[in-house]
Amino acid sequence: MISIPKNIQELVSYKPGKPVAQIIEELGLTEWAVLWNNENNLGPSLKVLERIQEAAITSHKYPDPASIQLRSMIAAKNQCEIENVVVDNGSESVFDCMFRAFFEKDDELLTCDGTFVAVYIWAKSNKVPVARIPLARGYQFDIDRLIDSVTPQTKAVYVANPNNPTGAMITTQQLNQLIDNVPDHVLIIMDEAYYEYAKVLSDDYPDSFQLRRPNVITLRTFSKAYGIAGIRLGYALGDPRLIEALSKVKMTFAPSDLAQAAGIGALEDEAHMYKSVMLNKTALQQFYNALHNAELEYTPSYGNFVMVDLKEEELAKAVTEKMMKQGIFIRHLKAFGLPLCVRISTGTEAENALFVSKL
């Protein structure tokens, strides 16, 4: 019998629920709003679809393994060189590569509870211990405790800004405090998956890459504001030495030709992205008003979602199920370590209005 490593045995397999289409049919829904995955329900721009169609013609050929055109466009957007950019099958895939590129025996990852669940999964699958501290007041990363918790075993500190699923962010001052007080030999991983939304929602949202620190890596994605989550495309920005190490361990031909084309099309249509983030800004205010009127406690968000604390796990579960029966798909956050809470993504104008009316 083939033995399975203990760290893999202990992982909980992802068990997807029923497809949305099946739930809609079973419940006999005539209207619905899918607001549970932080997707951009406006979808991709027409330019993305055009680029994908063009690339599909040469699908019999391998993609450019260096992703030169896409990386050049990302570099230009971020006022840096192409050597500062690596792309892969989503920022989550880049994060997974970090364990192979940087971690050695007995190294630890330091982060907080209640953040992106894939962080814990990829660490465990790579046999990397995770030191976790509680979130601070307001469900944000506790910068003071993170600094105090760095040990000789700490190889990297992971911070999601804004945090998923809580929506809270750290400020420019807090980021500078973290970077100035963490030793230079410790990697700081800044996950900015909701960067485009946060820049519009706060004047004090920091761009970690622009600090140009040699021990800081910034993760970004095309899955959110650019509306191509199904394509799987993300990237990292950082010092060329770190980026080269990541490039060595990622799959040679990732991302695919179609994904690279989609990313190029997305960057060629910034107007579509801006439309998405402005719709989100309006939607969040609608949600806040509705939640306030319902006397529900929520966390102000800097992403494309809002988290609601319902104080009781059974109530959070019941609300999730009741809303689904009304055609509103939201996320109970038990799997994120926040069993008292639910998360509602923003959607199209019609979906947002439907959520407010059903709440």
mmCIF file with all atom_site columns, all heavy atoms in Angstrom, residues 206-223:
data_model
loop_
_atom_site.group_PDB
_atom_site.id
_atom_site.type_symbol
_atom_site.label_atom_id
_atom_site.label_alt_id
_atom_site.label_comp_id
_atom_site.label_asym_id
_atom_site.label_entity_id
_atom_site.label_seq_id
_atom_site.pdbx_PDB_ins_code
_atom_site.Cartn_x
_atom_site.Cartn_y
_atom_site.Cartn_z
_atom_site.occupancy
_atom_site.B_iso_or_equiv
_atom_site.pdbx_formal_charge
_atom_site.auth_seq_id
_atom_site.auth_comp_id
_atom_site.auth_asym_id
_atom_site.auth_atom_id
_atom_site.pdbx_PDB_model_num
ATOM 1   N N   . PRO A 1 206 ? -2.286  51.603 1.258   1.00 0.00 ? 206 PRO A N   1
ATOM 2   C CA  . PRO A 1 206 ? -0.898  51.612 0.785   1.00 0.00 ? 206 PRO A CA  1
ATOM 3   C C   . PRO A 1 206 ? -0.637  50.647 -0.375  1.00 0.00 ? 206 PRO A C   1
ATOM 4   O O   . PRO A 1 206 ? -1.187  49.551 -0.416  1.00 0.00 ? 206 PRO A O   1
ATOM 5   C CB  . PRO A 1 206 ? -0.113  51.170 2.019   1.00 0.00 ? 206 PRO A CB  1
ATOM 6   C CG  . PRO A 1 206 ? -1.066  50.269 2.747   1.00 0.00 ? 206 PRO A CG  1
ATOM 7   C CD  . PRO A 1 206 ? -2.452  50.797 2.479   1.00 0.00 ? 206 PRO A CD  1
ATOM 8   N N   . ASP A 1 207 ? 0.211   51.069 -1.287  1.00 0.00 ? 207 ASP A N   1
ATOM 9   C CA  . ASP A 1 207 ? 0.704   50.208 -2.360  1.00 0.00 ? 207 ASP A CA  1
ATOM 10  C C   . ASP A 1 207 ? 2.044   49.659 -1.895  1.00 0.00 ? 207 ASP A C   1
ATOM 11  O O   . ASP A 1 207 ? 3.060   50.354 -1.932  1.00 0.00 ? 207 ASP A O   1
ATOM 12  C CB  . ASP A 1 207 ? 0.856   51.032 -3.643  1.00 0.00 ? 207 ASP A CB  1
ATOM 13  C CG  . ASP A 1 207 ? 1.360   50.217 -4.826  1.00 0.00 ? 207 ASP A CG  1
ATOM 14  O OD1 . ASP A 1 207 ? 1.986   49.167 -4.594  1.00 0.00 ? 207 ASP A OD1 1
ATOM 15  O OD2 . ASP A 1 207 ? 1.137   50.630 -5.971  1.00 0.00 ? 207 ASP A OD2 1
ATOM 16  N N   . SER A 1 208 ? 2.061   48.419 -1.434  1.00 0.00 ? 208 SER A N   1
ATOM 17  C CA  . SER A 1 208 ? 3.270   47.878 -0.807  1.00 0.00 ? 208 SER A CA  1
ATOM 18  C C   . SER A 1 208 ? 4.439   47.773 -1.771  1.00 0.00 ? 208 SER A C   1
ATOM 19  O O   . SER A 1 208 ? 5.598   47.896 -1.372  1.00 0.00 ? 208 SER A O   1
ATOM 20  C CB  . SER A 1 208 ? 2.976   46.503 -0.196  1.00 0.00 ? 208 SER A CB  1
ATOM 21  O OG  . SER A 1 208 ? 2.534   45.585 -1.179  1.00 0.00 ? 208 SER A OG  1
ATOM 22  N N   . PHE A 1 209 ? 4.154   47.570 -3.043  1.00 0.00 ? 209 PHE A N   1
ATOM 23  C CA  . PHE A 1 209 ? 5.254   47.410 -3.994  1.00 0.00 ? 209 PHE A CA  1
ATOM 24  C C   . PHE A 1 209 ? 6.018   48.700 -4.198  1.00 0.00 ? 209 PHE A C   1
ATOM 25  O O   . PHE A 1 209 ? 7.238   48.699 -4.385  1.00 0.00 ? 209 PHE A O   1
ATOM 26  C CB  . PHE A 1 209 ? 4.736   46.900 -5.338  1.00 0.00 ? 209 PHE A CB  1
ATOM 27  C CG  . PHE A 1 209 ? 5.799   46.855 -6.411  1.00 0.00 ? 209 PHE A CG  1
ATOM 28  C CD1 . PHE A 1 209 ? 6.897   46.005 -6.283  1.00 0.00 ? 209 PHE A CD1 1
ATOM 29  C CD2 . PHE A 1 209 ? 5.735   47.680 -7.524  1.00 0.00 ? 209 PHE A CD2 1
ATOM 30  C CE1 . PHE A 1 209 ? 7.893   45.977 -7.255  1.00 0.00 ? 209 PHE A CE1 1
ATOM 31  C CE2 . PHE A 1 209 ? 6.725   47.650 -8.493  1.00 0.00 ? 209 PHE A CE2 1
ATOM 32  C CZ  . PHE A 1 209 ? 7.814   46.797 -8.360  1.00 0.00 ? 209 PHE A CZ  1
ATOM 33  N N   . GLN A 1 210 ? 5.318   49.826 -4.176  1.00 0.00 ? 210 GLN A N   1
ATOM 34  C CA  . GLN A 1 210 ? 5.970   51.104 -4.446  1.00 0.00 ? 210 GLN A CA  1
ATOM 35  C C   . GLN A 1 210 ? 6.979   51.500 -3.367  1.00 0.00 ? 210 GLN A C   1
ATOM 36  O O   . GLN A 1 210 ? 7.780   52.414 -3.567  1.00 0.00 ? 210 GLN A O   1
ATOM 37  C CB  . GLN A 1 210 ? 4.915   52.203 -4.624  1.00 0.00 ? 210 GLN A CB  1
ATOM 38  C CG  . GLN A 1 210 ? 4.041   52.029 -5.855  1.00 0.00 ? 210 GLN A CG  1
ATOM 39  C CD  . GLN A 1 210 ? 4.822   51.905 -7.155  1.00 0.00 ? 210 GLN A CD  1
ATOM 40  O OE1 . GLN A 1 210 ? 5.891   52.521 -7.307  1.00 0.00 ? 210 GLN A OE1 1
ATOM 41  N NE2 . GLN A 1 210 ? 4.323   51.113 -8.097  1.00 0.00 ? 210 GLN A NE2 1
ATOM 42  N N   . LEU A 1 211 ? 6.975   50.793 -2.251  1.00 0.00 ? 211 LEU A N   1
ATOM 43  C CA  . LEU A 1 211 ? 7.988   51.041 -1.224  1.00 0.00 ? 211 LEU A CA  1
ATOM 44  C C   . LEU A 1 211 ? 9.347   50.481 -1.638  1.00 0.00 ? 211 LEU A C   1
ATOM 45  O O   . LEU A 1 211 ? 10.378  50.856 -1.068  1.00 0.00 ? 211 LEU A O   1
ATOM 46  C CB  . LEU A 1 211 ? 7.551   50.422 0.103   1.00 0.00 ? 211 LEU A CB  1
ATOM 47  C CG  . LEU A 1 211 ? 6.266   50.995 0.702   1.00 0.00 ? 211 LEU A CG  1
ATOM 48  C CD1 . LEU A 1 211 ? 5.878   50.222 1.952   1.00 0.00 ? 211 LEU A CD1 1
ATOM 49  C CD2 . LEU A 1 211 ? 6.421   52.472 1.006   1.00 0.00 ? 211 LEU A CD2 1
ATOM 50  N N   . ARG A 1 212 ? 9.339   49.559 -2.600  1.00 0.00 ? 212 ARG A N   1
ATOM 51  C CA  . ARG A 1 212 ? 10.566  48.990 -3.178  1.00 0.00 ? 212 ARG A CA  1
ATOM 52  C C   . ARG A 1 212 ? 11.513  48.437 -2.100  1.00 0.00 ? 212 ARG A C   1
ATOM 53  O O   . ARG A 1 212 ? 12.707  48.709 -2.094  1.00 0.00 ? 212 ARG A O   1
ATOM 54  C CB  . ARG A 1 212 ? 11.304  50.048 -4.013  1.00 0.00 ? 212 ARG A CB  1
ATOM 55  C CG  . ARG A 1 212 ? 10.573  50.534 -5.263  1.00 0.00 ? 212 ARG A CG  1
ATOM 56  C CD  . ARG A 1 212 ? 10.357  49.411 -6.277  1.00 0.00 ? 212 ARG A CD  1
ATOM 57  N NE  . ARG A 1 212 ? 10.142  49.897 -7.617  1.00 0.00 ? 212 ARG A NE  1
ATOM 58  C CZ  . ARG A 1 212 ? 8.972   50.303 -8.116  1.00 0.00 ? 212 ARG A CZ  1
ATOM 59  N NH1 . ARG A 1 212 ? 7.892   50.281 -7.351  1.00 0.00 ? 212 ARG A NH1 1
ATOM 60  N NH2 . ARG A 1 212 ? 8.870   50.742 -9.367  1.00 0.00 ? 212 ARG A NH2 1
ATOM 61  N N   . ARG A 1 213 ? 10.967  47.635 -1.208  1.00 0.00 ? 213 ARG A N   1
ATOM 62  C CA  . ARG A 1 213 ? 11.788  46.981 -0.199  1.00 0.00 ? 213 ARG A CA  1
ATOM 63  C C   . ARG A 1 213 ? 12.195  45.596 -0.700  1.00 0.00 ? 213 ARG A C   1
ATOM 64  O O   . ARG A 1 213 ? 11.375  44.854 -1.234  1.00 0.00 ? 213 ARG A O   1
ATOM 65  C CB  . ARG A 1 213 ? 11.028  46.860 1.123   1.00 0.00 ? 213 ARG A CB  1
ATOM 66  C CG  . ARG A 1 213 ? 10.707  48.201 1.776   1.00 0.00 ? 213 ARG A CG  1
ATOM 67  C CD  . ARG A 1 213 ? 11.964  48.963 2.175   1.00 0.00 ? 213 ARG A CD  1
ATOM 68  N NE  . ARG A 1 213 ? 11.641  50.156 2.921   1.00 0.00 ? 213 ARG A NE  1
ATOM 69  C CZ  . ARG A 1 213 ? 11.634  50.235 4.248   1.00 0.00 ? 213 ARG A CZ  1
ATOM 70  N NH1 . ARG A 1 213 ? 11.940  49.167 4.971   1.00 0.00 ? 213 ARG A NH1 1
ATOM 71  N NH2 . ARG A 1 213 ? 11.328  51.364 4.850   1.00 0.00 ? 213 ARG A NH2 1
ATOM 72  N N   . PRO A 1 214 ? 13.461  45.214 -0.544  1.00 0.00 ? 214 PRO A N   1
ATOM 73  C CA  . PRO A 1 214 ? 13.944  43.944 -1.102  1.00 0.00 ? 214 PRO A CA  1
ATOM 74  C C   . PRO A 1 214 ? 13.353  42.702 -0.454  1.00 0.00 ? 214 PRO A C   1
ATOM 75  O O   . PRO A 1 214 ? 13.488  41.603 -1.004  1.00 0.00 ? 214 PRO A O   1
ATOM 76  C CB  . PRO A 1 214 ? 15.463  44.012 -0.872  1.00 0.00 ? 214 PRO A CB  1
ATOM 77  C CG  . PRO A 1 214 ? 15.641  44.981 0.243   1.00 0.00 ? 214 PRO A CG  1
ATOM 78  C CD  . PRO A 1 214 ? 14.556  45.989 0.081   1.00 0.00 ? 214 PRO A CD  1
ATOM 79  N N   . ASN A 1 215 ? 12.714  42.829 0.717   1.00 0.00 ? 215 ASN A N   1
ATOM 80  C CA  . ASN A 1 215 ? 12.129  41.664 1.373   1.00 0.00 ? 215 ASN A CA  1
ATOM 81  C C   . ASN A 1 215 ? 10.601  41.671 1.319   1.00 0.00 ? 215 ASN A C   1
ATOM 82  O O   . ASN A 1 215 ? 9.943   40.929 2.060   1.00 0.00 ? 215 ASN A O   1
ATOM 83  C CB  . ASN A 1 215 ? 12.592  41.575 2.832   1.00 0.00 ? 215 ASN A CB  1
ATOM 84  C CG  . ASN A 1 215 ? 12.100  42.732 3.683   1.00 0.00 ? 215 ASN A CG  1
ATOM 85  O OD1 . ASN A 1 215 ? 11.995  43.866 3.197   1.00 0.00 ? 215 ASN A OD1 1
ATOM 86  N ND2 . ASN A 1 215 ? 11.800  42.468 4.944   1.00 0.00 ? 215 ASN A ND2 1
ATOM 87  N N   . VAL A 1 216 ? 10.019  42.496 0.433   1.00 0.00 ? 216 VAL A N   1
ATOM 88  C CA  . VAL A 1 216 ? 8.562   42.567 0.295   1.00 0.00 ? 216 VAL A CA  1
ATOM 89  C C   . VAL A 1 216 ? 8.131   42.032 -1.067  1.00 0.00 ? 216 VAL A C   1
ATOM 90  O O   . VAL A 1 216 ? 8.669   42.451 -2.101  1.00 0.00 ? 216 VAL A O   1
ATOM 91  C CB  . VAL A 1 216 ? 8.048   44.013 0.468   1.00 0.00 ? 216 VAL A CB  1
ATOM 92  C CG1 . VAL A 1 216 ? 6.539   44.083 0.222   1.00 0.00 ? 216 VAL A CG1 1
ATOM 93  C CG2 . VAL A 1 216 ? 8.367   44.535 1.863   1.00 0.00 ? 216 VAL A CG2 1
ATOM 94  N N   . ILE A 1 217 ? 7.184   41.097 -1.064  1.00 0.00 ? 217 ILE A N   1
ATOM 95  C CA  . ILE A 1 217 ? 6.572   40.613 -2.299  1.00 0.00 ? 217 ILE A CA  1
ATOM 96  C C   . ILE A 1 217 ? 5.090   40.969 -2.266  1.00 0.00 ? 217 ILE A C   1
ATOM 97  O O   . ILE A 1 217 ? 4.408   40.740 -1.264  1.00 0.00 ? 217 ILE A O   1
ATOM 98  C CB  . ILE A 1 217 ? 6.743   39.095 -2.472  1.00 0.00 ? 217 ILE A CB  1
ATOM 99  C CG1 . ILE A 1 217 ? 8.169   38.772 -2.915  1.00 0.00 ? 217 ILE A CG1 1
ATOM 100 C CG2 . ILE A 1 217 ? 5.759   38.538 -3.499  1.00 0.00 ? 217 ILE A CG2 1
ATOM 101 C CD1 . ILE A 1 217 ? 8.386   37.328 -3.297  1.00 0.00 ? 217 ILE A CD1 1
ATOM 102 N N   . THR A 1 218 ? 4.598   41.538 -3.355  1.00 0.00 ? 218 THR A N   1
ATOM 103 C CA  . THR A 1 218 ? 3.203   41.962 -3.461  1.00 0.00 ? 218 THR A CA  1
ATOM 104 C C   . THR A 1 218 ? 2.461   41.042 -4.421  1.00 0.00 ? 218 THR A C   1
ATOM 105 O O   . THR A 1 218 ? 2.898   40.843 -5.556  1.00 0.00 ? 218 THR A O   1
ATOM 106 C CB  . THR A 1 218 ? 3.120   43.415 -3.965  1.00 0.00 ? 218 THR A CB  1
ATOM 107 O OG1 . THR A 1 218 ? 3.842   44.267 -3.065  1.00 0.00 ? 218 THR A OG1 1
ATOM 108 C CG2 . THR A 1 218 ? 1.671   43.877 -4.058  1.00 0.00 ? 218 THR A CG2 1
ATOM 109 N N   . LEU A 1 219 ? 1.352   40.489 -3.957  1.00 0.00 ? 219 LEU A N   1
ATOM 110 C CA  . LEU A 1 219 ? 0.518   39.628 -4.787  1.00 0.00 ? 219 LEU A CA  1
ATOM 111 C C   . LEU A 1 219 ? -0.686  40.399 -5.302  1.00 0.00 ? 219 LEU A C   1
ATOM 112 O O   . LEU A 1 219 ? -1.349  41.111 -4.550  1.00 0.00 ? 219 LEU A O   1
ATOM 113 C CB  . LEU A 1 219 ? 0.029   38.412 -3.992  1.00 0.00 ? 219 LEU A CB  1
ATOM 114 C CG  . LEU A 1 219 ? 1.086   37.439 -3.471  1.00 0.00 ? 219 LEU A CG  1
ATOM 115 C CD1 . LEU A 1 219 ? 0.435   36.371 -2.605  1.00 0.00 ? 219 LEU A CD1 1
ATOM 116 C CD2 . LEU A 1 219 ? 1.832   36.797 -4.630  1.00 0.00 ? 219 LEU A CD2 1
ATOM 117 N N   . ARG A 1 220 ? -0.983  40.242 -6.591  1.00 0.00 ? 220 ARG A N   1
ATOM 118 C CA  . ARG A 1 220 ? -2.169  40.849 -7.201  1.00 0.00 ? 220 ARG A CA  1
ATOM 119 C C   . ARG A 1 220 ? -2.853  39.802 -8.087  1.00 0.00 ? 220 ARG A C   1
ATOM 120 O O   . ARG A 1 220 ? -2.280  38.758 -8.394  1.00 0.00 ? 220 ARG A O   1
ATOM 121 C CB  . ARG A 1 220 ? -1.782  42.066 -8.056  1.00 0.00 ? 220 ARG A CB  1
ATOM 122 C CG  . ARG A 1 220 ? -1.006  43.153 -7.291  1.00 0.00 ? 220 ARG A CG  1
ATOM 123 C CD  . ARG A 1 220 ? -1.869  44.314 -6.892  1.00 0.00 ? 220 ARG A CD  1
ATOM 124 N NE  . ARG A 1 220 ? -1.115  45.281 -6.102  1.00 0.00 ? 220 ARG A NE  1
ATOM 125 C CZ  . ARG A 1 220 ? -0.378  46.275 -6.611  1.00 0.00 ? 220 ARG A CZ  1
ATOM 126 N NH1 . ARG A 1 220 ? -0.321  46.422 -7.933  1.00 0.00 ? 220 ARG A NH1 1
ATOM 127 N NH2 . ARG A 1 220 ? 0.270   47.110 -5.824  1.00 0.00 ? 220 ARG A NH2 1
ATOM 128 N N   . THR A 1 221 ? -4.063  40.119 -8.535  1.00 0.00 ? 221 THR A N   1
ATOM 129 C CA  . THR A 1 221 ? -4.822  39.155 -9.328  1.00 0.00 ? 221 THR A CA  1
ATOM 130 C C   . THR A 1 221 ? -5.684  39.843 -10.369 1.00 0.00 ? 221 THR A C   1
ATOM 131 O O   . THR A 1 221 ? -6.029  41.020 -10.223 1.00 0.00 ? 221 THR A O   1
ATOM 132 C CB  . THR A 1 221 ? -5.709  38.292 -8.409  1.00 0.00 ? 221 THR A CB  1
ATOM 133 O OG1 . THR A 1 221 ? -6.362  37.297 -9.188  1.00 0.00 ? 221 THR A OG1 1
ATOM 134 C CG2 . THR A 1 221 ? -6.764  39.139 -7.712  1.00 0.00 ? 221 THR A CG2 1
ATOM 135 N N   . PHE A 1 222 ? -6.041  39.075 -11.401 1.00 0.00 ? 222 PHE A N   1
ATOM 136 C CA  . PHE A 1 222 ? -7.016  39.527 -12.395 1.00 0.00 ? 222 PHE A CA  1
ATOM 137 C C   . PHE A 1 222 ? -8.405  38.957 -12.092 1.00 0.00 ? 222 PHE A C   1
ATOM 138 O O   . PHE A 1 222 ? -9.337  39.184 -12.847 1.00 0.00 ? 222 PHE A O   1
ATOM 139 C CB  . PHE A 1 222 ? -6.581  39.071 -13.797 1.00 0.00 ? 222 PHE A CB  1
ATOM 140 C CG  . PHE A 1 222 ? -5.429  39.854 -14.369 1.00 0.00 ? 222 PHE A CG  1
ATOM 141 C CD1 . PHE A 1 222 ? -4.121  39.495 -14.105 1.00 0.00 ? 222 PHE A CD1 1
ATOM 142 C CD2 . PHE A 1 222 ? -5.661  40.967 -15.174 1.00 0.00 ? 222 PHE A CD2 1
ATOM 143 C CE1 . PHE A 1 222 ? -3.056  40.211 -14.627 1.00 0.00 ? 222 PHE A CE1 1
ATOM 144 C CE2 . PHE A 1 222 ? -4.603  41.699 -15.708 1.00 0.00 ? 222 PHE A CE2 1
ATOM 145 C CZ  . PHE A 1 222 ? -3.300  41.323 -15.431 1.00 0.00 ? 222 PHE A CZ  1
ATOM 146 N N   . SER A 1 223 ? -8.528  38.222 -10.988 1.00 0.00 ? 223 SER A N   1
ATOM 147 C CA  . SER A 1 223 ? -9.781  37.525 -10.694 1.00 0.00 ? 223 SER A CA  1
ATOM 148 C C   . SER A 1 223 ? -10.882 38.436 -10.175 1.00 0.00 ? 223 SER A C   1
ATOM 149 O O   . SER A 1 223 ? -12.052 38.073 -10.242 1.00 0.00 ? 223 SER A O   1
ATOM 150 C CB  . SER A 1 223 ? -9.525  36.419 -9.664  1.00 0.00 ? 223 SER A CB  1
ATOM 151 O OG  . SER A 1 223 ? -8.686  35.435 -10.188 1.00 0.00 ? 223 SER A OG  1
#
